[in-house]
Amino acid sequence: MMDESTELSVSITQIVQRLKGTHLHSQLEKQAKECMHKPEIKLETLKDDVRRYLKASGWERKLQNAVYRELHILPPPGHPRAPPEHTKEPLAYMRKAQASWEKRILKSLNSMCTELGIPLARKRPVSEQKELTNKWNEMGTDEPDLSKFRPVYAPKDFLEVLIGLRNLNNDRSEDLTVRSNWGLIQVSLNVRDIPQMRETYPELGLTYGQLGIDDHTHVPPDLFESEHILIGKKVVSEQDSAAAQQYSRQGCPTGLRAQLWTLILNTTDDPEDVKLTASNDDYYFVFEDYLYQVLLCFSRDTAVLEHFNYNSASPPKSCVQSKSGSEQCAVVYPPNGVIPFHGFSMYVAPLCFLYNEPSKLYSVFREMYIRYFFRLHSISSHPSGIVSLCLQFERLLQTHLPQLFYHLREIGAQPLRIAFKWIVRAFSGYLSTDQLLLLWDRILGYGSLEIVAVLAAAVFAFRAENLMEVTSLASAEAVLADLSTLKVMPLLQIFLFATSV
């Protein structure tokens, strides 16, 4: 292992290298050169004067925000002699499982394309390019016939793979208790218990003001909200990513959320010159054109490939039509390396409520995906990865609601089979939109998806009395079929801070 000073040095070097050649880097150089001609810049104090100018003109803050973003994305430096794949995923059995899953997905995709006689990779003819450009703003009203296409995979297919995960090098008797075997996830990873979570999420405590809770006993709701909005406006005006992230832990006001999320993610508003499929969810039908545009852009955006440097997954490859069989013809397909699953568009749909410009919507979605959402469908040991979230959910229920967990297990209604669809979509499409955005405030605020697993457990706790009466998986699913009336923040606060430990 590296010592702290060496690790810091490696991180600084990585960040400097990543920022070199970026638009921000060229803009900083340009500003520094232009300020040389200003009378207040003296040759004898050149370095300090340039720094003062960049700070006063706001460029120093932009650089700080860019560095802050890199710190959230870059994985911690590993041992200098460790193989590159260890950076992506340190556990061999996880890497093997992910590779096997990727082969299965690609086989399914190839089978469908062969069946339909459609090539995976080909350059769009000029006529099609022009047609696409002309109908860019009406894509949802003139959609192609997709009836012959089927999703490459559904969340339930992915769950079966996670259930089968095993670490053959681990002696289960050493660190897994009898109760641990009740769940579907049979691997050993470190996940937090409630006392540890209380330390991690102090701002969710009962003594803190929260947007999304109507009755504060310590602070009148109207007073808290008014003061919170004033602070939020100041955070936005100062354009500080770190301050915006800390602020969102207590919720973002509706009128400031779009600006705060953009600031937290440090995204730009530059229109993207790329354009994909839309959601089948009628709830978001008014945004169908946006969904087409954003997902089409996303599927062809090769900048997304960069996240595979720290993702346990690898991008699939295909041969360009008419060149099959040649190794040199292999190209990543889709160009962004991401094969969407059934319901993938629900990562985008809620953002349509915040951004009415496709370029802003796209930049925020892409950043949320490469920071968080990709972990929901990649097999890894990361604390925000889908395996850890599933294990976290099961451990919380087993520890704090053992009778409920045992009852559901005995009637063939394993809790994870019900909750998995919520977790893999970060509750999008299940909660009402205002409640979902409050949940996503906290994902951004804490830089972690862990709160999704906690909410899933809290939902079971809230419906525990009814669930103890059910006698089958179907009846359990019926009890939990409609989450649209649930209030996220009271559920989280009660589960985390009123549960006895």
Side-chain angles (χ1 to χ4, degrees):
M1 295 294 290
M2 291 185 286
D3 58 42
E4 287 187 15
S5 59
T6 305
E7 188 172 312
L8 179 61
S9 177
V10 170
S11 294
I12 291 171
T13 302
Q14 286 180 320
I15 291 172
V16 169
Q17 289 301 317
R18 284 174 61 88
L19 292 180
K20 276 185 177 178
T22 63
H23 179 68
L24 174 63
H25 183 259
S26 61
Q27 287 295 308
L28 282 169
E29 283 190 332
K30 181 181 176 182
Q31 292 294 321
K33 289 176 182 177
E34 287 181 358
C35 80
M36 299 286 194
H37 305 292
K38 296 185 177 294
E40 63 267 27
I41 305 296
K42 309 297 182 186
L43 187 60
E44 56 272 18
T45 56
L46 180 63
K47 191 173 182 180
D48 290 336
D49 288 350
V50 170
R51 279 181 174 172
R52 275 193 292 271
Y53 170 78
L54 292 176
K55 183 174 183 177
S57 58
W59 286 99
E60 183 183 67
R61 179 54 56 79
K62 290 180 180 180
L63 178 59
Q64 287 175 350
N65 290 343
V67 171
Y68 192 68
R69 174 189 180 270
E70 295 301 324
L71 289 171
H72 277 77
I73 288 179
L74 283 175
H79 193 280
R81 289 193 294 273
E85 63 267 22
H86 283 216
T87 301
K88 290 161 64 72
E89 171 51 54
L91 300 181
Y93 78 94
M94 290 282 187
R95 295 198 301 271
K96 184 178 179 181
Q98 175 62 33
S100 176
W101 172 237
E102 288 169 10
K103 288 179 182 177
R104 179 176 160 185
I105 295 173
L106 198 54
K107 182 179 179 181
S108 175
L109 184 63
N110 283 324
S111 296
M112 181 168 62
C113 291
T114 301
E115 180 185 318
L116 298 175
I118 296 173
L120 268 181
R122 72 174 176 88
K123 185 173 176 61
R124 195 188 298 275
V126 175
S127 59
E128 284 188 22
Q129 293 179 34
K130 289 181 178 178
E131 183 183 1
L132 188 66
T133 302
N134 292 335
K135 66 178 184 181
W136 180 235
N137 292 318
E138 293 83 35
M139 295 185 75
T141 59
D142 187 26
E143 65 181 69
D145 179 13
L146 302 177
S147 59
K148 294 181 181 179
F149 293 84
R150 60 181 183 271
V152 180
Y153 71 98
K156 63 180 182 180
D157 304 318
F158 189 39
L159 175 59
E160 294 306 318
V161 174
L162 302 186
I163 290 171
L165 276 176
R166 296 291 184 275
N167 180 5
L168 300 180
N169 295 323
N170 185 48
D171 182 358
R172 294 162 53 86
S173 62
E174 289 181 3
D175 59 358
L176 291 181
T177 66
V178 173
R179 184 177 290 175
S180 300
N181 295 327
W182 289 2
L184 294 176
I185 303 300
Q186 296 291 306
V187 296
S188 179
L189 296 173
N190 289 325
V191 293
R192 279 190 271 251
D193 57 23
I194 283 186
Q196 291 170 325
M197 286 184 182
R198 288 175 181 173
E199 294 181 10
T200 305
Y201 304 108
E203 295 87 356
L204 300 184
L206 300 173
T207 58
Y208 279 76
Q210 294 285 340
L211 288 186
I213 294 182
D214 298 328
D215 52 342
H216 305 287
T217 55
H218 57 295
V219 179
D222 292 343
L223 178 59
F224 167 74
E225 188 168 346
S226 298
E227 291 183 351
H228 196 58
I229 289 173
L230 288 175
I231 296 170
K233 288 179 178 178
K234 185 177 180 181
V235 169
V236 169
S237 68
E238 292 182 353
Q239 287 294 292
D240 187 328
S241 292
Q245 182 171 37
Q246 179 67 37
Y247 174 85
S248 71
R249 294 179 178 186
Q250 290 174 270
C252 297
T254 303
L256 297 175
R257 180 175 280 122
Q259 294 168 278
L260 287 163
W261 284 19
T262 300
L263 186 52
I264 293 168
L265 297 167
N266 194 38
T267 59
T268 61
D269 296 335
D270 297 334
E272 301 290 333
D273 187 26
V274 256
K275 303 160 186 172
L276 179 165
T277 64
S279 169
N280 292 323
D281 193 315
D282 290 340
Y283 186 66
Y284 292 104
F285 76 97
V286 294
F287 300 120
E288 201 165 355
D289 291 335
Y290 279 0
L291 289 168
Y292 266 105
Q293 292 170 0
V294 167
L295 288 169
L296 184 56
C297 285
F298 184 70
S299 74
R300 281 147 175 78
D301 189 347
T302 55
V304 176
L305 290 170
E306 189 179 22
H307 91 283
F308 286 103
N309 293 332
Y310 50 88
N311 182 356
S312 61
S314 299
K317 292 187 176 181
S318 176
C319 284
V320 177
Q321 190 181 20
S322 79
K323 296 183 180 180
S324 59
S326 170
E327 185 62 32
Q328 289 75 21
C329 78
V331 295
V332 171
Y333 187 87
N336 69 347
V338 180
I339 297 177
F341 58 86
H342 182 63
F344 186 88
S345 60
M346 298 307 291
Y347 292 151
V348 189
L351 301 177
C352 296
F353 285 91
L354 301 183
Y355 303 96
N356 56 16
E357 294 179 29
S359 61
K360 290 182 180 179
L361 172 60
Y362 180 76
S363 61
V364 169
F365 163 65
R366 182 176 67 177
E367 190 68 18
M368 288 190 74
Y369 181 83
I370 65 176
R371 281 205 204 184
Y372 306 113
F373 294 150
F374 79 89
R375 299 197 184 279
L376 295 172
H377 55 95
S378 304
I379 301 173
S380 76
S381 59
H382 192 277
S384 277
I386 190 67
V387 183
S388 291
L389 298 184
C390 290
L391 185 61
Q392 178 84 77
F393 165 75
E394 291 195 322
R395 289 268 178 89
L396 287 172
L397 279 190
Q398 289 173 46
T399 302
H400 300 287
L401 294 162
Q403 287 181 306
L404 175 62
F405 196 103
Y406 185 75
H407 168 67
L408 293 174
R409 177 180 178 273
E410 288 301 291
I411 64 169
Q414 278 277 11
L416 185 58
R417 290 199 181 277
I418 300 171
F420 186 75
K421 58 182 179 291
W422 309 336
I423 297 172
V424 82
R425 284 187 3 192
F427 278 93
S428 181
Y430 297 102
L431 297 171
S432 62
T433 304
D434 62 321
Q435 295 301 307
L436 179 71
L437 295 176
L438 286 169
L439 174 67
W440 286 14
D441 283 344
R442 276 70 183 187
I443 291 174
L444 292 174
Y446 291 99
S448 170
L449 288 160
E450 184 181 47
I451 203 74
V452 172
V454 179
L455 179 60
V459 170
F460 273 77
F462 180 66
R463 297 275 170 85
E465 189 174 339
N466 292 333
L467 288 170
M468 286 299 294
E469 303 296 324
V470 302
T471 57
S472 66
L473 173 60
S475 54
E477 288 178 326
V479 169
L480 297 165
D482 183 10
L483 308 186
S484 63
T485 59
L486 297 182
K487 301 294 184 183
V488 165
M489 294 317 302
L491 282 180
L492 286 173
Q493 282 196 312
I494 291 170
F495 188 77
L496 282 178
F497 292 91
T499 299
S500 59
V501 294

